Amino acid sequence: MIELRKNYKYALLVPTSMGVRLTPADGQPVHCTADYRMTVTSAETNVASVAAFLGLPVKVLTAFVEDCPVSELIRRDLRGRGMEYEGPVIPQGGPWGPRHQFNIADSGYGARGPRVHNDRAGEVGRLLGPGHFDLERIFGREAVGIVHMSGLIAALSPSTGELCLEIARTARKHGTLVSFDLNHRASFWKGRERELGRLFHELASAADILIGNEEDFQLCLGVEGPAAGGSAVASQLERFREMTEAIRQSYPGAQVYATTLREVVDANRHLWGALVGAGDELHTVELREITVLDRIGGGDGFVGGLLYAILRGWEPSRWAGFAWACGALAVTFLTDYAQPPDEEAVWDVWHGNARVRR
């Protein structure tokens, strides 16, 4: 059974680069609309939102731009989710200075899939490095239950990669569990394959909790597995189990390892499943159809549910169901993160109970 350190100030801590997402209204594509909704986003805070909304103390390590209204929007959003934050405030120094990322993404509809355009030039989070945080204070004196990192913040720049490595080393020294979601992005890896391959191997080797989707383990760590996509997932479930066992053998330091499974029927109907390993036990969630309002953040919701279940000290047999349901819940929101009102609402999703509550 995985063991958490005792008497921590923060149940969950995430380093991240914050930004905003622009989403066309009414499921329209970007090139056909003038109406947009702007929301605050980052993969790591998407994950942390499950624990924060369910009442656990969460802290965010990030960077802000001085005298910037987008930074103030981000601060207010994080406070609204019940999250504390700290990090450097960096002067913009004029219109061409650092700024927060813009993620321009439609939701897709029916046979038309979502399209995402990332505008990350000059992103302030790329400047983050180990010197921006007192990690001994955070992990030693304040104490953290789990620190979660993703492949997005790790691959963002050489300095954020060093930050993630230093966080992992300091966390392990003080008994904090390390969670790493590989989160492969081809555009981040282009021309940096050797550099990022070494970085991700070191972070995966330091992880107590190691997570990916159908392709992440293959693309980031070179673990052999089946081809994903289309209608291949359900028919290759046994090969995904074999891949999960290969992950366990390749990274024996991980006490928990998980893979999400997804088949896309159309933009609003997915088949959603998961494999969650704890020690030598593997728990399978067979693919079930879910209804999708906006798919972005579903995987992060899964990870958030998994970490919450571990933080609550539940038996591993309950982890997979709660994580699956948080992912299924997240894709019913227009934000990139799940906002569960209580645990019961998540378990209702798991049990297929969509009846009205009065």
Side-chain angles (χ1 to χ4, degrees), residues 57-71:
V58 169
K59 187 165 190 175
V60 177
L61 304 183
T62 192
F64 299 98
V65 178
E66 188 176 37
D67 297 326
C68 173
V70 176
S71 287

Side-chain angles (χ1 to χ4, degrees), residues 46 131 156 225 261 328:
N46 293 346
L156 192 59
L261 304 171

Side-chain angles (χ1 to χ4, degrees), residues 154-319:
L156 192 59
S157 71
S159 64
T160 62
E162 283 301 316
L163 172 62
C164 289
L165 285 174
E166 194 60 30
I167 284 174
R169 294 166 185 148
T170 309
R172 291 185 67 83
K173 182 173 73 172
H174 291 288
T176 295
L177 296 178
V178 176
S179 169
F180 184 42
D181 180 2
L182 297 168
N183 229 328
H184 180 270
R185 291 293 183 274
S187 57
F188 285 32
W189 280 65
K190 186 176 181 180
R192 302 173 65 201
E193 290 83 0
R194 180 174 294 183
E195 168 200 349
L196 292 182
R198 288 195 297 265
L199 171 65
F200 276 53
H201 173 73
E202 186 168 350
L203 288 171
S205 298
D208 300 285
I209 304 162
L210 186 56
I211 307 156
N213 65 19
E214 305 97 304
E215 298 177 312
D216 283 346
F217 289 106
Q218 301 172 64
L219 295 172
C220 295
L221 302 178
V223 176
E224 186 176 346
S231 59
V233 175
S235 63
Q236 299 191 81
L237 188 56
E238 188 54 41
R239 290 202 62 200
F240 281 108
R241 292 192 182 101
E242 293 170 359
M243 182 187 74
T244 307
E245 175 60 21
I247 296 161
R248 188 173 77 92
Q249 296 292 336
S250 299
Y251 293 91
Q255 302 174 66
V256 180
Y257 39 95
T259 304
T260 56
L261 304 171
R262 186 198 305 260
E263 282 188 20
V264 177
V265 180
D266 61 38
N268 308 110
R269 290 187 301 151
H270 293 182
L271 302 180
W272 181 238
L275 299 171
V276 176
D280 57 2
E281 293 185 357
L282 184 63
H283 303 275
T284 302
V285 179
E286 302 283 348
L287 273 74
R288 293 162 51 183
E289 185 168 317
I290 60 172
T291 303
V292 177
L293 178 63
D294 185 293
R295 70 164 285 164
I296 295 177
D300 296 330
F302 172 89
V303 178
L306 177 63
L307 299 184
Y308 178 80
I310 293 170
L311 285 164
R312 293 277 287 142
W314 296 345
E315 290 298 315
S317 59
R318 302 183 69 195
W319 296 352

Side-chain angles (χ1 to χ4, degrees), residues 328-351:
L329 180 66
V331 299
T332 69
F333 286 92
L334 292 175
T335 53
D336 291 352
Y337 49 86
Q339 303 180 52
D342 48 45
E343 291 177 7
E344 186 177 8
V346 178
W347 287 120
D348 278 346
V349 173
W350 170 246
H351 293 300

Side-chain angles (χ1 to χ4, degrees), residues 7-25:
N7 302 318
Y8 49 74
K9 181 175 181 180
Y10 301 107
L12 183 60
L13 179 139
V14 295
T16 192
S17 177
M18 299 299 303
V20 292
R21 175 183 173 186
L22 295 175
T23 308

